[in-house]
């Protein structure tokens, strides 16, 4: 990677992992057999356009933690949706922060919030920057004197482990691999693996109510929380460490999913578990996706809690190399894990239920469905390559109750398929279930289509709108785990009950009276008089 590469601004990998021309040349010819349309000649990322000069200077006590280098500001101007990746590789940063601030402790977080309130500066918390919903892009109104990105990267690590209660005090900026590395010597794990695990942070997971890729049992990070510390402009909210509490509405629930609008999460006590050493898995084929999802429902309603329970439609199964391109079978990747007892017997019973639902056993063993797991880990890297080859590549997800599932999936396929034909001239809509519950499931859609270079953002907006409208009309949620951010706010406003909207607004006004915390996320930004030119 050249010294001036913009890969850190838009790409998934580390600097040395930028897709090179040879990799792109090798992938290009594989696109048509897999996706049904041709790749385009590889695009070369453009240099970064000149950013507007920062409007802010940090006050002297914060100068040591402030940065204004263009690449740094640019990286903090984008998340990781398709729209972000396209803009980043064109060198286009629509809303760079004026400064990036990296607090080293909670007191510095509080000092930044104080300064922002006094100086009329908007603040956008930044964990790993993997938001796919415009959560970290400082797209705020023009009434602010400036906007800062508060990067939690220096507030990282596991500060304490309690082996008795089995919990760990985790600082907000800790990324997935560092967290697991710190727990491993204790024989413990958080067992929380979102697909963005490598880059996303504990604080980001809590702020967005992320969901890991254990498909049943505890899915959202909510279930792993013992206590959260959040610094708000009105003071520090720290809840007691408790295994459960019935004392009124939960302060942790207020912080969970607040997406930086109420303050900055600095740390949390999270429940950890012994590392599993018993595993059993299987890969099954089904004639139809509906039969595979029916098997998942039967399993969950019978009380099974598989660690993996991925129903994939035929397109997903082909994308994950579980069958050749064009194959018509749906698949189910099933696995059980335990730290305490062998799980083969559970798998045996689960396979009987699956057979009743029409499943055919294709592979059995600890590593069954390994191709799916490998493709799951590689997907963010592959997306970088596909976008460079002119493929519109995006995902969206929802959840609904079982009785609505087939109808919702069918209507999303139809509406998004039509939007793709109009906007892109064709493309694929693939579906899998990422999470399952006794009363419903979370369908996750992958869209791959020929992009029209220069019009990608309009194409993306058309497809996104079609998906969101259809999901809401079919009784789903605007997001099961990707969060609301700025991109989903219009649909979130229609989904949430009005009294709750009033209560949320009042809560924000109470703890963030100047409205500095991530304006425009979850709630519409209050208009402010235009800031004077400097
Ligand atoms: C390839 C890919 C795969 C993904 N897979 C999953 C998945 O499997 N499951 C899932 O749930 N999500 C997934 N996501 C979405 C994203 O990774 C999650 O939303 C994740 O929780 C964001 O964490 P982060 O640290 O990157 O937060 P960021 O993207 O930095 O921030 C997300 C939001 O939280 C706010 N925020 C961040 N840190 C704090 C803090 N300490 N205090 C207050 N507010 C804060 C930000 O302002 C922003 O609004 C995926 C994204 C990508 C690009």
């Amino acid at each position: 990677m050249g010294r001036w590469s913009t890969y850190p601004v838009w790409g998934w990998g580390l600097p040395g992992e930028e897709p090179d021309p040879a990799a792109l040349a090798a992938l290009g010819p594989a696109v048509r057999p897999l996706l049904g349309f041709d790749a385009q000649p590889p695009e070369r990322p453009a240099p970064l356009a000149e950013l507007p000069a920062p409007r802010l200077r940090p006050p002297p006590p914060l100068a040591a933690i402030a940065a204004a280098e263009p690449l740094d500001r640019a990286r903090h101007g984008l998340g990781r949706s398709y729209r972000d990746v396209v803009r980043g590789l064109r060198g286009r940063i629509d809303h760079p922060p004026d400064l990036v601030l990296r607090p080293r402790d909670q007191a510095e977080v509080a000092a930044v919030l104080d300064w922002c309130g006094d100086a009329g500066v908007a603040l956008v918390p930044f964990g790993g920057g993997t938001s796919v919903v415009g959560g970290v892009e400082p797209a705020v109104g023009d009434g602010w004197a400036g906007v800062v990105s508060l990067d939690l990267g220096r507030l990282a690590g596991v500060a304490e482990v309690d082996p008795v209660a089995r919990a760990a005090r985790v600082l907000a900026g800790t990324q997935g691999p560092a967290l697991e590395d710190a727990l491993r010597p204790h024989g413990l794990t958080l067992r929380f693996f979102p697909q963005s695990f490598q880059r996303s942070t504990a604080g980001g997971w809590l702020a967005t109510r992320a969901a890991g890729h254990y498909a049943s049992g505890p899915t959202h990070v909510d279930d792993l929380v013992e206590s959260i510390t959040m610094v708000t402009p009105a003071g520090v909210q720290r809840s007691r460490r408790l295994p459960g509490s019935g004392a009124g509405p939960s302060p942790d629930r207020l912080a969970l999913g607040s997406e930086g609008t109420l303050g900055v999460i600095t740390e949390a006590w999270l429940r950890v578990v012994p590392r599993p050493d018993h595993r059993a898995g299987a890969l099954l084929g089904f004639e139809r996706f509906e039969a595979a999802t029916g098997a998942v429902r039967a399993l969950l309603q019978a009380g099974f809690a598989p660690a993996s329970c991925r129903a994939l439609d035929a397109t997903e199964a082909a994308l994950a190399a579980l069958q050749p391109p064009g194959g018509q079978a749906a698949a189910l990747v099933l696995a059980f894990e335990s730290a305490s007892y062998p799980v083969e017997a559970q798998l045996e019973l689960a396979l009987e239920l699956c057979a009743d639902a029409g499943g055919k056993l294709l592979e059995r063993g600890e590593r069954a469905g390994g191709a799916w797991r490998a493709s799951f880990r590689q997907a963010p890297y592959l997306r970088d390559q596909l976008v460079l080859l002119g493929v519109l590549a995006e995902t969206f997800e929802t959840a609904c109750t079982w009785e609505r599932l087939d109808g919702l999936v069918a209507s999303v396929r139809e509406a998004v398929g039509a939007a793709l034909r109009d906007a892109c001239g064709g493309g694929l809509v693939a579906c899998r279930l990422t999470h399952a519950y006794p009363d419903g499931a979370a369908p996750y859609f992958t869209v791959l289509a020929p992009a029209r270079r220069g019009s990608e953002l309009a194409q993306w907006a058309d497809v996104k709108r079609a998906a969101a409208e259809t999901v809401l009309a079919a009784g789903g949620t605007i997001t099961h785990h990707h969060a609301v951010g700025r991109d989903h706010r219009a649909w979130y406003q229609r989904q949430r009950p009005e009294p709750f909207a009033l209560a949320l607004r009042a809560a924000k006004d109470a703890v963030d009276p100047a409205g500095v915390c991530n304006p425009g996320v979850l709630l519409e930004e209050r208009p402010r008089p235009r800031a004077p030119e400097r």
Side-chain angles (χ1 to χ4, degrees), residues 103-116 123-125 150 152 155 171-172 203 206-207 227-239 251-252 254-256 258-268 507-508 510-513 516-518:
R104 294 163 292 195
D105 56 28
Q106 192 171 300
E108 285 183 344
V109 172
V112 174
L113 281 168
D114 284 349
W115 171 57
C116 289
L123 174 144
V124 180
L150 188 84
L152 278 300
L155 215 59
L171 305 190
L206 296 162
S227 132
I228 295 180
T229 301
M230 180 166 75
V231 182
T232 78
V236 177
Q237 169 175 305
R238 184 194 301 273
S239 59
D252 296 334
L254 188 64
L256 284 163
S258 58
E259 300 191 28
T261 61
L262 302 178
V264 179
I265 295 169
T266 51
E267 62 175 61
K508 175 159 174 82
V511 299
D512 179 21
V516 298
C517 294
N518 222 354

Side-chain angles (χ1 to χ4, degrees), residues 177-230:
L179 171 55
E180 286 299 320
D181 286 350
L183 294 177
R184 196 170 294 111
H186 301 272
L188 297 169
T189 170
L190 186 62
R191 215 164 164 270
F192 186 77
F193 300 104
Q195 193 177 32
S196 55
F197 173 77
Q198 274 180 298
R199 310 263 171 266
S200 56
T201 61
W205 302 337
L206 296 162
T208 60
R209 300 185 61 203
H213 276 268
Y214 282 97
S216 68
T219 54
H220 284 105
V221 73
D222 314 20
D223 301 326
L224 309 178
V225 170
E226 216 173 54
S227 132
I228 295 180
T229 301
M230 180 166 75

Side-chain angles (χ1 to χ4, degrees), residues 340-365:
S340 319
Y341 47 82
V343 284
E344 273 295 337
Q346 265 188 68
L347 179 66
E348 194 60 44
L349 288 172
L351 289 176
E352 281 175 27
L353 269 188
C354 291
D356 292 346
K360 292 199 175 49
L361 184 62
L362 304 176
E363 249 180 87
R364 186 165 174 172

Side-chain angles (χ1 to χ4, degrees), residues 33-348:
L34 194 59
L35 306 184
F37 55 87
D38 287 325
Q40 302 180 47
E43 176 166 354
R44 281 173 68 95
L48 194 61
E50 196 173 332
L51 302 184
R55 294 166 292 179
L56 299 169
R57 256 174 211 235
L62 299 178
I65 60 164
E69 280 75 38
L71 267 189
D72 205 9
R73 289 173 64 204
R75 169 60 191 109
H76 290 80
L78 294 174
R80 282 295 177 265
S81 67
Y82 171 73
R83 184 168 166 258
D84 297 328
V85 175
V86 168
R87 284 182 298 165
L89 70 87
R90 302 270 157 78
R92 173 181 153 184
I93 312 297
D94 295 336
H95 303 103
D98 294 283
L99 295 174
V100 179
L101 298 178
R102 292 186 169 83
R104 294 163 292 195
D105 56 28
Q106 192 171 300
E108 285 183 344
V109 172
V112 174
L113 281 168
D114 284 349
W115 171 57
C116 289
D118 293 345
V121 172
L123 174 144
V124 180
F126 186 102
T130 65
S131 168
V132 285
V133 292
V136 292
E137 179 172 349
V140 301
D142 54 16
W144 300 99
V147 55
V148 297
S149 181
L150 188 84
D151 186 319
L152 278 300
R154 281 193 195 155
L155 215 59
V158 172
E160 267 178 89
V161 173
D162 174 347
V164 179
R166 283 197 185 145
R169 182 158 72 87
V170 181
L171 305 190
T174 315
Q175 290 178 317
L179 171 55
E180 286 299 320
D181 286 350
L183 294 177
R184 196 170 294 111
H186 301 272
L188 297 169
T189 170
L190 186 62
R191 215 164 164 270
F192 186 77
F193 300 104
Q195 193 177 32
S196 55
F197 173 77
Q198 274 180 298
R199 310 263 171 266
S200 56
T201 61
W205 302 337
L206 296 162
T208 60
R209 300 185 61 203
H213 276 268
Y214 282 97
S216 68
T219 54
H220 284 105
V221 73
D222 314 20
D223 301 326
L224 309 178
V225 170
E226 216 173 54
S227 132
I228 295 180
T229 301
M230 180 166 75
V231 182
T232 78
V236 177
Q237 169 175 305
R238 184 194 301 273
S239 59
R240 286 189 176 197
R241 280 188 64 198
L242 291 168
S245 168
S250 157
D252 296 334
R253 291 271 166 190
L254 188 64
L256 284 163
S258 58
E259 300 191 28
T261 61
L262 302 178
V264 179
I265 295 169
T266 51
E267 62 175 61
W269 277 94
L270 300 176
R271 300 186 177 113
V272 292
V273 292
R275 306 183 75 77
D277 47 13
H278 301 278
R279 286 191 190 81
L283 171 67
L284 297 111
F286 288 82
E287 276 182 18
R288 295 166 50 246
F289 183 53
E290 292 77 4
T293 62
V296 172
R297 176 163 74 93
L299 287 169
L300 272 286
Q301 291 184 344
F304 288 98
S308 280
C309 191
R310 301 278 138 161
L312 316 176
D313 75 1
T315 312
E316 277 278 351
L319 291 173
L322 293 175
Q323 65 180 336
Q328 295 300 310
L332 176 61
V333 180
L334 192 60
F336 290 87
E337 285 185 6
S338 169
S340 319
Y341 47 82
V343 284
E344 273 295 337
Q346 265 188 68
L347 179 66
E348 194 60 44

